[in-house]
């Protein structure tokens, strides 16, 4: 049966009607915003205390499909049969214990990311010293900088800059590759969840990409299913978070006592803010020590000034920088506020502005070693506010150091508001945009009882009757990351070690490590869906079926050779079974049969894109989001006129001429299925 061209409108009235139905299937309100909750969900949400279910409502096969959709990034061909043969509950238990799952194929593929295997502190040190040297040359040469830099030095600078860009690109690409091929799928889902919960923006500054490599590898992944308190401390001491939320430069106000001061006598090893020994000042009756006034700082400069010429230039530079910082002083509340509002208690968690201030005071001195010395966490007593503090009703005595911050982490991790806040976010992520109160209560109770055992909290949620309810089935809208990764898995795609797939995810609205605010990307469907976003998602499906996604080939679809010559009805049945879990609405089937998606009939989906988050691919390999909630109003206006934006990234899904892929036969059915409401939800 010959397929119908996507651009051909045989019946405009029918197409308009079908378009309304198709958009309605995604829950569009006024053809612009998506309402995530189904009518059944709305009923559930209206009840303050929804009745507890005493059985799993979903049929056995639906349970398997639902679990693969929520606890992994989508099923690969054959996964349903494997889970069914193993037993769903046994598979869930296996996923909850990822350390027991062989993932050697992923480990082997990760060898493609050579730059991530290098010492990131050493790379940061190399980059920082090179930048410093360039600044020094620039100051000395004025406008004749180019003439002062030798060809060899210029090439060395370029190589170091290239490495920095490679770190950012490989970080993003490896996130996608892990999600596509890892056998430890629930671990990947939880890693993605926590990276978003403890969000960090890669473009905060040049060092951030280096810090993020260790942040993902050493902080988030090892603790994704561990204890929340351990995860919280690992985040709090990570250079990535300390740099992102400015705690690295937070110190006691000049009116506050500090824990220690610099020794004026360099012979005793003092006077070295770049890492030398510190000698405590005489303690006062409250246990604190005198703050370093101008005299102390002057002593530092005087004590080491005579030795500056004999020091390594990088060390001398860092000494001057640290002394200048100490002279300015000042408390920074950014991390203290976000620790309470976004990481633990939640915005309504019962803390006050005074709690924010005292948390920030307790965390003074939690900082980073200078980039030119490689970075890394360090506690600096001379920056720490040694005064008494009261945090959420708990008194922290004066004269203490690192333990101030550690006690704060104990207090907030055990707080009832933290248990409820984390439980609510996890239930929202795994079950419903409107989290059932009874399940939140149960998960929060487990959090408290187990002292924040993430594995047990997740187990409670994903084995619950609410998780396996009809209300939960296909109720969540996939994020752009989930859409792209699940499509690659459905097509049995090979992982992509280039930045291209990460660029596609960014084009759909979710640049990896590209959310500027600390609240992370939204976990509800209404934030991702509008008319432009839907068009881009449908376009993505057609591009994937047209072999424009690296590693994804439509011929990898099971039985492709046979299906290519089958009737259209058999092609549709096969694709619904293989990609849509065996069920599709009559409206979706009508679109698959006709080959006409009315939303693409105008051919208006391939638009140039740019946002306030834009960067060049040669910089951090990040593409700009299109259509979704992240795009700013000015660029949406330009896109509406279909006029290219100067310096904008072009649609990575389109051909060189910018055209929407024109497909036929089984490839067309696959492309339309990937853009269907059933596939866009999970």
């Amino acid at each position: 049966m010959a397929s119908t061209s996507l651009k051909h409108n045989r019946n405009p009235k029918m197409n308009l009607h079908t378009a309304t139905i198709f958009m309605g299937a995604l829950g569009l309100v006024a053809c612009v915003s998506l309402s995530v909750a189904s009518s059944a969900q709305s009923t559930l949400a209206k009840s303050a205390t929804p009745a507890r279910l005493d059985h799993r409502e979903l049929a056995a096969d639906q349970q398997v499909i639902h679990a693969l959709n929520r606890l992994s990034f989508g099923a690969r061909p054959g996964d349903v049969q494997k889970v069914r043969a193993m037993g769903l509950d046994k598979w869930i238990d296996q996923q909850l214990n990822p350390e027991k799952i062989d993932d050697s194929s992923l480990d082997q593929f990760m060898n493609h990311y050579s730059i991530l295997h290098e010492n990131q502190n050493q790379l940061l040190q190399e980059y920082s010293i090179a930048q410093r040297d360039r600044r020094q040359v620039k100051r000395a040469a004025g406008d004749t900088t180019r003439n002062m830099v030798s060809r060899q030095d210029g090439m060395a600078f370029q190589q170091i800059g290239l490495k920095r860009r490679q770190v950012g690109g490989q970080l993003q690409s490896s996130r996608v590759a892990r999600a596509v091929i890892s056998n430890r799928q629930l671990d990947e889902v939880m890693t993605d969840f926590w990276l978003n919960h403890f969000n960090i923006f890669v473009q905060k500054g040049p060092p951030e990409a280096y810090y993020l490599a260790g942040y993902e590898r050493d902080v988030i992944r090892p603790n994704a299913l561990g204890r929340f308190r351990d995860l919280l401390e690992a985040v709090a001491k990570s250079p990535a978070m300390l740099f992102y939320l400015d705690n690295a430069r937070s110190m006691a106000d000049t009116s506050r006592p500090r824990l220690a001061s610099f020794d004026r006598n360099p012979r005793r090893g003092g006077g070295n803010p770049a890492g030398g020994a510190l000698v405590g000042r005489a303690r006062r009756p409250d246990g604190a020590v005198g703050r370093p006034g101008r005299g102390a700082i002057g002593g530092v400069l005087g004590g080491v000034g005579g030795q500056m010429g004999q020091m390594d230039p990088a060390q001398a530079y860092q000494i001057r920088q640290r002394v200048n910082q100490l002279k300015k002083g000042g408390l920074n509340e950014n991390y203290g506020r976000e620790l309470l509002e976004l990481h633990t208690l939640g915005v309504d968690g019962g803390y006050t502005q005074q709690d924010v201030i005292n948390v920030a005071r307790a965390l003074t001195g939690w900082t980073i070693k200078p980039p030119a010395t490689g970075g890394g966490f360090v506690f600096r007593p001379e920056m720490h506010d040694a005064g008494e503090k009261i945090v959420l009703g708990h008194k922290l005595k004066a004269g203490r150091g690192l333990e101030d911050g550690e006690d704060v982490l104990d207090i907030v991790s055990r707080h009832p508001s933290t248990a409820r806040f984390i439980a609510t976010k996890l239930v929202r992520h795994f079950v419903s945009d409107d989290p059932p109160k009874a399940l939140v209560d149960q998960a929060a109770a487990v959090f408290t009882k187990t002292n924040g055992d993430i594995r047990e909290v997740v187990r409670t949620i994903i084995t619950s009757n609410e998780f396996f309810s009809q209300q939960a089935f296909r109720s969540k809208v996939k994020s752009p990351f989930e859409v792209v990764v699940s499509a690659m898995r459905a097509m049995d795609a090979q992982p992509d070690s280039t930045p291209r797939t990460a660029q596609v995810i960014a084009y759909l609205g979710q640049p990896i490590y590209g959310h500027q605010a600390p609240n992370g990307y939204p976990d509800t469907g209404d934030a991702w869906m509008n008319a432009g976003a839907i068009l881009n998602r449908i376009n993505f499906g057609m591009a994937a079926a047209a072999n424009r996604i690296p590693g994804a080939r439509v011929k990898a679809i099971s039985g492709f050779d046979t299906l290519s010559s089958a009737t259209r009805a058999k092609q549709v049945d096969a694709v619904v079974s293989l990609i849509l879990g065996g069920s599709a609405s009559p409206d979706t089937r009508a679109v698959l049969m006709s080959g006409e998606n009315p939303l693409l009939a105008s051919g208006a989906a391939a638009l140039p894109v740019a946002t306030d988050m834009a960067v060049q691919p040669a910089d951090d390999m990040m593409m700009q989001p299109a259509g979704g909630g992240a795009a700013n109003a000015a660029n949406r206006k330009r896109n509406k006129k279909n006029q290219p934006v100067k310096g904008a990234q072009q649609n990575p899904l389109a051909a060189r001429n910018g055209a929407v892929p024109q497909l036929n036969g089984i490839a067309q059915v696959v492309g339309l299925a990937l853009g269907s409401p059933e596939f866009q939800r999970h």
Side-chain angles (χ1 to χ4, degrees):
M1 175 180 178
S3 62
T4 307
S5 167
L6 289 175
K7 297 183 71 175
H8 183 47
N9 269 338
R10 290 177 297 174
N11 189 335
K13 292 183 178 179
M14 182 276 289
N15 281 339
L16 179 60
H17 175 67
T18 308
T20 304
I21 294 174
F22 195 77
M23 295 172 78
L26 280 172
L28 282 170
V29 178
C31 297
V32 175
S33 64
L34 179 87
S35 173
V36 179
S38 63
S39 58
Q41 280 181 279
S42 299
T43 302
L44 182 64
K46 289 177 182 177
S47 174
T49 55
R52 300 289 291 165
L53 304 173
D54 58 3
H55 68 285
R56 294 180 178 181
E57 290 184 339
L58 295 178
D61 281 351
Q62 283 185 317
Q63 290 180 34
V64 172
I65 293 168
H66 182 61
L68 282 167
N69 279 336
R70 294 288 176 87
L71 310 185
S72 78
F73 284 107
R76 275 190 174 276
D79 278 357
V80 171
Q81 292 75 15
K82 290 177 184 177
V83 174
R84 190 186 294 139
M86 176 187 293
L88 177 58
D89 290 331
K90 185 176 180 180
W91 179 80
I92 290 175
D93 186 69
Q94 181 188 63
Q95 288 294 316
L96 282 166
N97 295 277
E99 65 279 0
K100 299 178 181 179
I101 302 174
D102 176 55
D103 222 4
S104 53
S105 58
L106 171 64
D107 295 337
Q108 185 176 359
F109 184 82
M110 291 303 292
N111 290 329
H112 288 86
Y113 301 105
S114 57
I115 199 76
L116 297 184
H117 294 292
E118 295 190 32
N119 186 312
Q120 298 300 308
N121 286 342
Q122 185 175 334
L123 290 176
L124 174 58
Q125 182 178 15
E126 183 182 71
Y127 176 81
S128 299
I129 292 174
Q131 289 296 96
R132 183 209 63 204
D133 290 346
R134 292 192 71 177
R135 286 193 295 268
Q136 290 178 347
V137 170
K138 208 169 186 178
R139 284 196 296 268
D143 295 332
T144 62
T145 303
R146 293 184 181 179
N147 297 329
M148 297 290 293
V149 178
S150 69
R151 178 182 177 85
Q152 184 177 359
D153 287 343
M155 292 179 65
F157 288 147
Q158 289 181 357
Q159 188 62 30
I160 292 170
L162 176 61
K163 280 189 175 183
R164 187 182 72 84
R165 293 191 291 272
Q166 287 177 333
V167 171
Q170 290 191 14
L171 268 172
Q172 295 165 345
S173 175
S174 63
R175 277 279 299 280
V176 182
R178 283 181 177 276
V180 170
I181 64 171
S182 176
N183 294 324
R184 301 169 179 175
Q185 279 290 293
L186 180 56
D187 197 37
E188 286 301 316
V189 170
M190 287 304 301
T191 295
D192 184 67
F193 175 86
W194 290 122
L195 283 170
N196 197 54
H197 179 81
F198 296 108
N199 179 66
I200 287 176
F201 181 48
V202 70
Q203 293 192 84
K204 164 73 174 183
E208 196 67 88
Y210 300 107
Y211 293 148
L212 274 170
Y215 183 69
E216 179 180 330
R217 181 190 62 241
D218 304 326
V219 174
I220 300 298
R221 290 189 176 279
N223 295 294
L225 285 167
R227 291 196 178 275
F228 182 73
R229 172 62 177 80
D230 295 338
L231 173 60
L232 193 65
E233 181 168 348
V235 170
K237 290 182 176 179
S238 67
M241 186 61 72
L242 291 169
F243 179 75
Y244 173 55
L245 289 180
D246 304 313
N247 204 79
R249 57 190 179 92
S250 180
M251 65 184 70
D253 288 331
T254 54
S255 61
R256 298 276 186 182
R258 297 189 183 182
L259 188 62
S261 180
F262 299 120
D263 182 12
R264 299 178 186 227
N265 188 347
R267 295 178 183 176
R268 295 202 300 249
N272 184 359
L278 292 166
V279 177
R281 302 282 296 276
R283 291 188 176 275
R284 301 189 322 209
D286 62 0
V289 297
R291 63 182 178 87
R294 296 182 62 85
I297 294 171
V300 172
L301 291 172
V304 300
Q307 299 181 0
M308 285 289 190
Q310 302 174 8
M311 287 182 178
D312 175 82
Q315 186 182 24
Y317 174 76
Q318 292 301 328
I319 288 177
R320 294 190 186 96
Q321 292 291 95
R322 293 279 295 117
V323 169
N324 288 336
Q325 182 184 24
L326 286 165
K327 288 171 68 175
K328 295 177 181 178
L331 186 70
N332 190 298
E333 299 175 15
N334 287 355
Y335 179 55
R337 183 179 308 282
E338 306 310 349
L339 175 65
L340 297 177
E341 179 178 331
L342 297 177
H343 297 173
T344 56
L345 279 68
V347 66
D348 298 319
Y351 63 88
T352 66
Q353 172 60 21
Q354 195 58 44
D355 287 319
V356 171
I357 293 172
N358 285 335
V359 166
R361 289 176 59 210
L363 291 167
T364 49
W366 289 46
T367 186
I368 310 170
K369 296 176 184 176
T373 63
F377 172 77
V378 65
F379 175 73
R380 296 199 181 280
E382 75 275 16
M383 296 174 66
H384 183 65
D385 185 327
E388 181 183 279
K389 311 164 189 73
I390 297 178
V391 175
L392 296 167
H394 298 262
K395 181 180 291 187
L396 306 181
K397 294 181 180 180
R400 307 193 318 159
L402 184 67
E403 58 267 37
D404 268 357
E406 291 176 337
D407 280 359
V408 164
L409 299 181
D410 285 339
I411 293 167
V412 298
S413 64
R414 296 170 183 167
H415 199 282
S417 293
T418 297
R420 174 158 293 277
F421 183 63
I422 299 301
T424 300
K425 289 196 71 170
L426 285 168
V427 173
R428 180 181 296 119
H429 186 75
F430 284 109
V431 179
S432 169
D433 283 6
D434 297 306
K437 181 179 182 299
L439 183 56
V440 171
D441 291 343
Q442 185 181 2
V446 172
F447 186 100
T448 300
K449 181 180 179 180
T450 63
N451 196 23
D453 189 324
I454 299 168
R455 190 192 323 266
E456 293 310 310
V457 175
V458 172
R459 187 193 304 276
T460 298
I461 295 169
I462 66 178
T463 59
S464 69
N465 293 317
E466 288 90 342
F467 178 79
F468 289 108
S469 67
Q470 290 289 349
Q471 293 95 329
F473 189 67
R474 280 182 177 166
S475 65
K476 293 279 295 180
V477 172
K478 294 177 182 177
S479 68
F481 185 88
E482 292 167 335
V483 168
V484 173
V485 172
S486 62
M488 295 183 72
R489 287 177 61 82
M491 296 180 70
D492 204 20
Q494 297 302 306
D496 172 28
S497 60
T498 76
R500 290 174 58 194
T501 305
Q503 290 170 355
V504 172
I505 294 170
Y507 175 79
L508 294 179
Q510 192 181 12
I512 299 171
Y513 291 121
H515 190 75
Q516 187 170 359
N519 60 343
Y521 287 112
D523 200 13
T524 56
D526 56 345
W528 292 115
M529 288 289 97
N530 59 39
I534 292 173
L535 288 173
N536 285 325
R537 287 174 178 233
I538 295 171
N539 248 2
F540 163 75
M542 303 305 290
N547 301 327
R548 294 182 185 172
I549 307 301
R553 293 292 177 265
V554 72
K555 288 185 178 181
I557 298 293
S558 179
F560 176 85
D561 292 337
T562 302
L563 288 172
S564 60
S565 58
T567 64
R568 184 72 169 202
K570 288 185 177 179
Q571 290 176 342
V572 170
D573 288 342
V575 170
V576 168
S577 175
L578 292 168
I579 294 180
L580 301 183
S583 62
S585 70
D587 301 306
T588 294
R589 280 187 174 272
V591 169
L592 299 182
M593 285 296 297
S594 69
E596 294 183 3
N597 188 319
L599 297 180
L600 289 180
S602 65
L607 302 177
V609 191
T611 76
D612 53 353
M613 297 170 64
V615 297
Q616 297 300 319
D619 189 357
D620 283 297
M621 304 298 183
M622 291 171 56
M623 290 287 287
Q624 305 95 316
N632 63 30
N635 286 306
R636 282 199 299 268
K637 185 175 181 180
R638 293 189 185 100
N639 288 342
K640 186 175 181 181
K641 295 179 180 180
N642 202 18
Q643 296 296 319
V645 182
K646 185 177 181 180
Q649 307 286 347
Q650 296 303 307
N651 184 348
L653 306 175
R656 290 185 178 180
N657 61 5
V660 177
Q662 302 298 304
L663 304 174
N664 54 46
I666 184 66
Q668 185 188 65
V669 179
V670 169
L672 291 169
L674 293 175
S676 69
E678 286 83 353
F679 192 80
Q680 297 298 314
R681 288 177 177 268
H682 64 156

